[in-house]
């Protein structure tokens, strides 16, 4: 009997140690993988002399003008592109116009709008994404270090959505992935290797920490329309996607500058 009780007591002690170790590991795991990052309001502005460009997000064009305000998420959790490229989420992002933010899991910011040329002749324009203000996270990290921006263009929108016109899921997926991906350049070969091993898209470097990207377009024809879909997320496979960016804040604006 004494031997049995000794074994039982020994087992109970080992069980307690096991539970403590398991809980500690769980806390460390959660601490390094669950965090938020605040993003500021997002505005789209049109500029340009001697050109007649307009933008809208409502299907009936009732908001047609030179400025759009896009609602944003107060907090954003990390994800990876493969998670937001699934058929269900991809369809929510690509179908229709307006805001398509992930209000349930808060893993991406997305919206679609249309640019129209009401000028008598062809117009050239630049699309520029700029950081207005930024605040470091509690650990000194910057949100933009792990941020990704995807821009997808659908030309001749008056003829219908190019994405929705595709009949096969594989074709829609390929179109979704054919957009332009942007990110801050990685600091080391090791960081680049981690991304290459775990992600399946190639990014273009942000121009700077202030002007993130610029796209130049030429010969935009009169009465032509182009639909833009913008998706922003925090890439979980980025080595900068750590607790140090928790509580960070970034405010951006999208400018479209038309010229003859």
């Amino acid at each position: 009997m004494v031997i049995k009780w000794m074994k039982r007591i020994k087992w109970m002690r080992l069980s307690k140690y096991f539970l403590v170790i398991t809980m500690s590991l769980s806390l460390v795991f959660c601490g390094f993988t669950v965090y938020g990052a605040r993003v500021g309001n997002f505005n789209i502005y049109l500029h340009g002399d001697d050109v007649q460009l307009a933008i809208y997000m409502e299907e009936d064009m009732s908001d047609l003008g030179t400025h759009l305000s896009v609602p944003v998420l107060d907090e954003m959790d990390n994800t990876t592109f493969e998670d937001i490229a699934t058929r269900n989420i991809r369809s929510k992002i690509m179908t229709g116009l307006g805001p398509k933010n992930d209000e349930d899991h808060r893993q991406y910011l997305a919206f679609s709008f249309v640019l129209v040329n009401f000028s008598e002749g062809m117009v050239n324009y630049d699309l520029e994404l700029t950081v207005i203000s930024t605040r470091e996270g509690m650990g000194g990290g910057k949100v933009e270090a792990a941020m990704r921006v995807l821009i997808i263009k659908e030309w001749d929108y008056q003829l219908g959505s190019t994405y929705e016109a595709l009949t096969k899921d594989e074709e829609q997926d390929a179109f979704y992935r054919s957009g332009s991906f942007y990110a801050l350049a990685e600091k080391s070969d090791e960081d680049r290797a981690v991304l290459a091993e775990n992600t399946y898209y190639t990014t273009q470097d942000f121009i700077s920490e202030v002007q993130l990207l610029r796209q130049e377009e030429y010969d935009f024809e009169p009465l032509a329309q182009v639909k833009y879909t913008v998706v922003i997320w925090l890439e979980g496979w980025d080595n900068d996607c750590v607790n140090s960016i928790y509580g960070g804040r970034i405010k951006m604006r999208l400018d479209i500058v038309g010229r003859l």
Side-chain angles (χ1 to χ4, degrees):
M1 288 290 292
V2 174
I3 295 175
K4 280 187 176 181
W5 277 108
M6 291 294 290
K7 288 183 177 179
R8 184 172 296 180
I9 291 171
K10 185 178 181 181
W11 172 249
M12 289 173 65
R13 287 176 178 171
L14 290 172
S15 298
K16 286 182 180 179
Y17 286 128
F18 178 77
L19 287 172
V20 171
I21 293 171
T22 303
M23 288 179 66
S24 298
L25 289 175
S26 297
L27 289 172
V28 171
F29 180 77
C30 291
F32 277 95
T33 58
V34 180
Y35 63 89
R38 299 183 181 278
V39 292
N41 295 329
F42 200 106
N43 290 285
I44 307 171
Y45 296 97
L46 270 178
H47 312 271
D49 298 327
D50 302 320
V51 296
Q52 299 293 322
L53 296 177
I55 48 178
Y56 67 90
M57 293 180 70
E58 296 291 342
E59 299 283 353
D60 61 1
M61 300 177 66
S62 58
D63 59 342
L64 186 71
T66 59
H67 170 237
L68 293 173
S69 182
V70 184
V72 297
L73 297 171
D74 291 332
E75 293 183 348
M76 186 180 289
D77 200 354
N78 66 318
T79 186
T80 187
F81 179 68
E82 292 307 312
D83 289 339
I84 58 179
T86 59
R87 179 188 296 182
N88 184 41
I89 295 178
R90 188 181 73 231
S91 179
K92 290 179 181 178
I93 292 174
M94 292 298 296
T95 302
L97 302 177
K100 292 101 173 272
N101 299 337
D102 179 17
E103 300 290 350
D104 295 327
H105 302 99
R106 316 187 78 77
Q107 291 183 322
Y108 60 84
L109 170 73
F111 58 90
S112 296
F113 68 94
V114 177
L115 173 67
V116 191
N117 181 17
F118 288 112
S119 305
E120 294 183 358
M122 290 191 294
V123 170
N124 306 321
Y125 67 90
D126 298 332
L127 183 143
E128 302 174 348
L129 181 61
T130 306
V131 175
I132 302 302
S133 63
T134 183
R135 186 182 69 195
E136 293 181 350
M138 292 186 294
K142 293 184 177 181
V143 175
E144 50 267 45
M147 190 174 71
R148 297 293 185 274
V149 179
L150 169 61
I151 297 182
I152 305 167
K153 287 175 285 194
E154 298 184 63
W155 296 99
D156 301 321
Y157 184 69
Q158 68 269 29
L159 302 178
S161 171
T162 304
Y163 173 85
E164 294 177 65
L166 300 174
T167 57
K168 296 181 180 179
D169 179 65
E170 294 83 1
E171 294 174 337
Q172 291 183 336
D173 181 64
F175 185 84
Y176 186 59
R177 295 170 185 270
S178 68
S180 299
F181 294 80
Y182 297 89
L184 192 67
E186 298 305 311
K187 296 186 290 290
S188 68
D189 291 339
E190 181 182 357
D191 291 352
R192 285 187 287 272
V194 169
L195 288 174
E197 184 178 353
N198 295 286
T199 59
Y200 303 94
Y201 61 91
T202 302
T203 61
Q204 301 178 49
D205 293 344
F206 288 154
I207 297 173
S208 69
E209 292 187 1
V210 176
Q211 186 180 15
L212 300 185
L213 63 92
R214 180 183 183 186
Q215 292 186 350
E216 298 180 351
E217 301 295 343
Y218 300 93
D219 300 334
F220 190 36
E221 295 184 355
L223 300 181
Q225 301 189 51
V226 55
K227 174 185 173 182
Y228 279 93
T229 297
V230 180
V231 189
I232 300 173
W233 72 98
L234 299 177
E235 178 54 63
W237 284 110
D238 194 310
N239 281 341
D240 291 304
C241 196
V242 291
N243 276 6
S244 65
I245 70 174
Y246 182 86
R249 185 179 183 88
I250 185 170
K251 186 174 183 180
M252 299 174 289
R253 61 184 281 170
L254 190 66
D255 291 286
I256 300 172
V257 184
R259 60 188 190 281
L260 294 177

